[in-house]
Amino acid sequence: MRSLSDAKSESDLNSVKGIFFGKKGTLSEIMKGLSGLPIEERKQVGAAANAARQTLEAAFDARLAEFRERERKTRDAAGLIDVTLPGRLPAAGHRHPISRTMADIVSIFNRLGFSTRLGPEIEKDYYNFEALNFPADHPAREMQDTFFMDGPSSDLLLRTHTSPIQIRTMESSRPPVRVVAPGAVYRCDSDITHSPMFHQVEGFAVDQNVTFSDVKGLLTEFCSMMFGERKPLRFRPSFFPFTEPSAEVDIECVICGGKGCRVCKGSGWLEILGCGMIDPAVFGFVDYDPDLYTGFAFGMGVERIAMLRHGIGDIRLFFENDLRFLSRF
Ligand code: PHE
């Protein structure tokens, strides 16, 4: 390898470079020889040698750039991976906002002394309705838009609420009980605030001298722990077959701040839960003495609470699994 034009690769280039710039290379020899020359000549030769060095360096650099460019093109053409490029990190997953909200609700009640119980999603008519004081043919059954496993006379259905866990718990334990019960529930209903599958958290307590003011205080405390501030609450008299008296609880609409919007249907309030004092008739099914014990129960919609918490106006977004939505949390 004698000249720049012979060099075919970066390593050829390096060996040609040695001929000029190496320890024993031409330029180095010339520089060493300078000291033996008379001063005038030394100046001339030195200047010429420097000029030659600059020209040579420029030529080497140009050749090097040429080689690198050629290499890049072959690599691109072959579709080879450039390992020097920064990697694309896989997107990290996280819990679904509904699971997180449900876990947060449960953890607040756990801290307030309630222990967690679960129940089956495919439930018997007896637990979902009958023992909750919905007699056969009672119109309140219609309000629940039930999915039956095998036609309306079927004994098995998709639970329409988490209240059957009240019965299952009371069947197997004696007072005092303080239980929180989260889970998926099903109703044949769908619009911007209803989904056919949604989640509830049930809570109930039975003991001597439990009163309505206990549930009122508990739920007020819960809301301030959940939303981090005192949001106005409204207790509205209502009806459930398994509680008497009963109330529905509304929270000020966080989408519009109470002014009225399409999410709160113009009312300024969003219903987040139902509650009441457990009806003595229910105690009859689980063999609790209604003269000795009283209890309260409540059931809340997890999606509603997640919507309030994150200011989301359409419940269906939670179930579309669009990553652009989910990755906001
Ligand atoms: N189970 C009722 C519902 O789904 C809510 C509720 C629970 C009401 C407990 C009162 C007591 O609508």
Side-chain angles (χ1 to χ4, degrees):
M1 197 64 51
R2 300 291 315 156
S3 74
L4 201 51
S5 50
D6 289 340
K8 301 228 164 9
S9 68
E10 203 172 319
S11 75
D12 286 353
L13 202 59
N14 283 333
S15 40
V16 181
K17 237 178 171 175
I19 300 173
F20 298 101
F21 298 108
K23 249 196 190 149
K24 294 244 158 67
T26 328
L27 269 174
S28 320
E29 292 299 324
I30 291 170
M31 295 317 256
K32 274 185 235 157
L34 282 182
S35 54
L37 292 176
I39 181 87
E40 272 311 309
E41 243 178 282
R42 197 191 296 171
K43 270 188 190 160
Q44 277 178 9
V45 176
N50 268 330
R53 178 211 301 282
Q54 277 172 15
T55 315
L56 279 168
E57 273 175 354
F60 276 115
D61 286 350
R63 231 24 230 284
L64 184 62
E66 231 173 81
F67 289 141
R68 297 233 163 127
E69 177 64 12
R70 200 180 62 193
E71 211 178 289
R72 194 187 59 77
K73 281 195 176 134
T74 0
R75 200 172 47 211
D76 283 358
L80 293 179
I81 293 167
D82 181 351
V83 294
T84 65
L85 283 176
R88 269 183 229 127
L89 294 177
H94 56 76
R95 297 185 80 187
H96 191 279
I98 294 302
S99 311
R100 253 181 37 205
T101 302
M102 189 149 69
D104 292 346
I105 296 169
V106 167
S107 124
I108 289 175
F109 286 108
N110 287 161
R111 275 179 278 158
L112 293 169
F114 289 70
S115 51
T116 308
R117 286 282 294 251
L118 302 175
E121 289 177 27
I122 295 175
E123 188 52 284
K124 288 187 167 143
D125 180 279
Y126 177 79
Y127 290 107
N128 195 81
F129 289 128
E130 199 177 327
L132 285 164
N133 200 30
F134 288 81
D137 301 324
H138 192 284
R141 290 190 180 215
E142 307 249 303
M143 284 163 39
Q144 302 258 347
D145 302 307
T146 312
F147 287 114
F148 291 94
M149 297 303 287
D150 206 6
S153 58
S154 161
D155 185 43
L156 288 179
L157 42 80
L158 291 177
R159 67 179 176 197
T160 59
H161 51 179
T162 40
S163 302
I165 304 172
Q166 289 184 39
I167 307 299
R168 289 181 173 275
T169 305
M170 290 192 276
E171 264 184 355
S172 63
S173 38
R174 308 305 301 168
V177 291
R178 241 177 251 107
V179 163
V180 66
V185 301
Y186 303 83
R187 288 185 204 179
C188 191
D189 199 356
S190 185
D191 62 34
I192 61 164
T193 51
H194 296 89
S195 147
M197 188 279 305
F198 60 103
H199 299 81
Q200 288 187 334
V201 175
E202 189 87 5
F204 55 97
V206 183
D207 201 350
Q208 294 179 26
N209 306 316
V210 173
T211 68
F212 197 89
S213 59
D214 291 325
V215 70
K216 226 179 149 177
L218 176 74
L219 293 173
T220 308
E221 184 59 27
F222 162 77
C223 285
S224 63
M225 286 169 88
M226 190 69 201
F227 299 107
E229 57 180 309
R230 279 210 188 259
K231 283 256 163 234
L233 288 185
R234 181 170 83 166
F235 285 73
R236 260 185 304 113
S238 184
F239 172 79
F240 300 101
F242 41 94
T243 49
E244 180 58 35
S246 308
E248 281 174 304
V249 180
D250 302 334
I251 191 166
E252 187 184 271
C253 179
V254 281
I255 308 288
C256 62
K259 285 199 275 301
C261 65
R262 82 179 183 131
V263 175
C264 60
K265 301 205 165 81
S267 72
W269 295 93
L270 284 171
E271 183 195 321
I272 52 166
L273 61 91
C275 67
M277 298 305 290
I278 297 175
D279 196 302
V282 172
F283 287 155
F285 285 95
V286 296
D287 213 14
Y288 278 16
D289 182 352
D291 293 327
L292 192 54
Y293 298 115
T294 51
F296 63 71
F298 59 85
M300 61 182 78
V302 178
E303 282 74 6
R304 289 288 176 86
I305 291 177
M307 288 168 83
L308 286 171
R309 207 184 187 191
H310 300 295
I312 292 157
D314 188 336
I315 196 172
R316 292 168 297 197
L317 287 167
F318 288 124
F319 304 114
E320 283 168 355
N321 287 334
D322 185 331
L323 286 176
R324 287 168 302 179
F325 172 75
L326 292 178
S327 60
R328 282 173 43 198
F329 299 94

